[in-house]
Amino acid sequence: MTDPDELLAGLDREQREVARALHGPVCVLAGAGTGKTRAITHRIAYGVATGAFQANQLLAVTFTARAAGEMRGRLRGLGAGTVQARTFHSAALRQLQYFWPQTVGGPPPRILESKISLVAEAAAACRIKTDRAALRDLASEIEWCKSTQTAPEDYGTAVAKAQKVPPREPAEVSRVYAAYEEHKRDRGFIDFEDVLLLTIGVLESKPNVADQVRSQYRHFVVDEYQDVNPLQQRLLDQWLGQRDSLCVVGDASQTIYSFTGATPEYLLGFPDRYPDATVIRLVRDYRSTPQVVGVANALLGAIPQDTQAGRRAARARLELVAQRHAGPPAGYTEYPDEAAEAEGVAENIRTLIERGARPAEIAVLFRINAQSEVYEQALADRGVPYVVRGIERFFDRPEVRQAVLLLRGAARSSGAAEGGSAGSAAGDSAGGDGSMEGLAATVRAVLSGNGWSPKAPAGSGRAREQWESLAALAALAEEHEAGHPRAGLVEFVRELEERAAVQHAPVVDGVTLASLHSAKGLEWDAVYLVGLTEGLMPITYAETDEQLEEERRLLYVGVTRARETLQLSWALARAPGGRASRRPSRFLDSLREAKAAMADAGAGGVVRRGSGRGPQEQGKSKRTGPVRCRVCGKALIEAVDRKLGRCADCPSDLDQALFERLREWRLAQATDQSVPAYVVFTDATLTAIAETRPTERSALARIPGVGAGKLERYADQVLAILTGSAPAADEAAADSQEPPDAQEPPESQWPEEPAEAAEASEPGEMLEPLPEPEPGDVGEPA
């Protein structure tokens, strides 16, 4: 049985608070990279281990199959593998399928995998001309309508009230929406929003079914709660009934899916709905360097508060505190045109890879998918592998479906001959010569019949995309063989089928090209945010205050995807030789204004002019070490604790007599300079000196509050006191006749010395990271 105390051992202070908050409503406000998944999975496991929860009575809900799969994996590792972790749709569909025969009768309706085909039929029936882009827009609009519980006849009013820009005339959208519903009904299909609606209908109309569900699930955890839409909240309310054993986790500053009906209001209003709720903030960022965190904080720190949307966004803001060591400064590069920007970024990326970076740890993020093509070409021209994310689900791609079909056929032949050995499949699919070469060679032989070759085709476009898809399957076979040396095609095909069921695509070792929306929940060592001009960021149709703030949040999500390297760029013209009529994004203004302050803290960057012919030079970063408790080793977050160099409740080894001698010396210095005593050294700094008793200048310099100016002015005297060779206090005072160093942060501007002075005098300090992440962690502490 899992030891509950061991589950808490690797958590930081706030994460432990989350894990121990097992009763009543709990709201966890978790910033990007702060270990929220770690916190809530440990909370679940701790609750199970202590008996507060029965594993089969808790339902954890999130928004993507990938996130649910990750959560299940973590729970298994923590000894709580029987806890259900599902998406809203998956949990609802499971309940609907179970209760449909007894409440409605017969088999449940078939699920419509994609709206596009029926939307096309509906538009044609309404005599409305569309292309594929228009069909995607209409499908998205129908999803918004159903998620916000808007009927076709109410669409015009609803879209005006929401200040939403419709993709077409509201009357046309309303007609297509109504026709879509009719065509869907006639064919006996339901879509994913219907799954939620029908489950809600069953629970609301059948009290016995609701009682059965509530008896089964008594505790709920909802991740990414800022992305909940009204339909999902209505289902959650039905699951809960009148109970309040609910833990929600989210960050209102990462609400970027309002086009699906998502709203942060449920997260922000949670304490109002549950006045006795426990609210915990996670702000220690374990993912990104202080330089990246500095950009993220500056971006949100510039939210205008002269509008209701701005005031609400500012109220929801979480100030992140970096836990990692310093990295390179953020880079800001202006290019003459889009082609030069793509070439400059691609060249920079090639240089990174030549220096040892993995392509899979690099991403180029843009506002709209149409921006991808020029970067595909620039990377292809340099032989840099890439993968385009978010255009189409991996296992839905025609070349992948065909490849899996061929592999399944080869596996069937193999299984009939030898119970699934890789050799038989190789013989069937590769002429028998590969029978002793193993699984990976066999898979490559099968894929070669589907157009794959070891060498990538030249250029970009569809041929390159198809090759990348098949190369991903080949790489997955190699990975599978390494982990399961005796596995054959039968086992590998089973692995593919399981991955396809949850859309768990293989990781391709190529640079990721993705829209900002599709990058949510992911992270890379190096991130390039491109095309940051007015009209794209913010997008041209973002007109209201709320829409503009969502664009800011979208950029914030992009910034916080970066672990170490962050590059922001924009182009002044569309085409080479074109008029430089574009303006840099207004969001860059706040970053420019904060640049000097961030540079002082080792978190800034330099604006460069780029030609596109080579990588842009970056400024040198200021390397500053984190502050941790010298007694227990934990990261220090409180200002006074950071000054002391230890937790306030950790035992002190203060030499009281030495401390008094230091105080006498400080008083003499302050009297001679006619300044308050803490301008020389604060009590916290003096206490840290008396506790650590450094004997060398380098050791003294590591104590928070001992800056370069003070080190130069006072080091010899302080070290003399510490070693017992100090002169009398009045003699020491005579040795220091210099005025306060102008380079030193002027602590005298604060009337007293506590947290504010401690923070302001140490702009470069960070918090100590916890140990390295365990396998499977994504940007979170181990």
Side-chain angles (χ1 to χ4, degrees), residues 210-284:
D211 289 343
Q212 192 172 341
V213 171
R214 293 167 190 161
S215 176
Q216 172 67 52
Y217 294 117
R218 303 183 183 186
H219 314 281
F220 296 87
V221 175
V222 183
D223 192 13
E224 303 287 2
Y225 194 54
Q226 79 278 351
D227 290 331
V228 161
N229 62 44
L231 191 58
Q232 291 162 335
Q233 181 63 45
R234 186 176 164 193
L235 176 60
L236 179 61
D237 290 341
Q238 282 300 312
W239 284 341
L240 277 166
Q242 299 303 310
R243 301 166 301 176
D244 64 0
S245 185
L246 170 65
C247 174
V248 300
V249 189
D251 178 8
S253 296
Q254 295 189 66
T255 303
I256 59 172
Y257 298 121
S258 66
F259 60 88
T260 68
T263 171
E265 293 306 318
Y266 299 115
L267 176 66
L268 296 176
F270 194 86
D272 297 328
R273 186 176 185 182
Y274 298 100
D276 59 339
T278 300
V279 179
I280 303 168
R281 291 173 175 251
L282 300 182
V283 297
R284 303 177 193 239

Side-chain angles (χ1 to χ4, degrees), residues 574-596:
R574 178 181 177 84
R579 188 164 63 93
S581 59
R582 293 183 173 181
R583 292 183 294 118
S585 169
R586 70 191 71 180
F587 300 137
L588 292 170
D589 294 342
S590 61
L591 304 184
R592 287 167 168 167
E593 291 168 5
K595 187 176 60 180

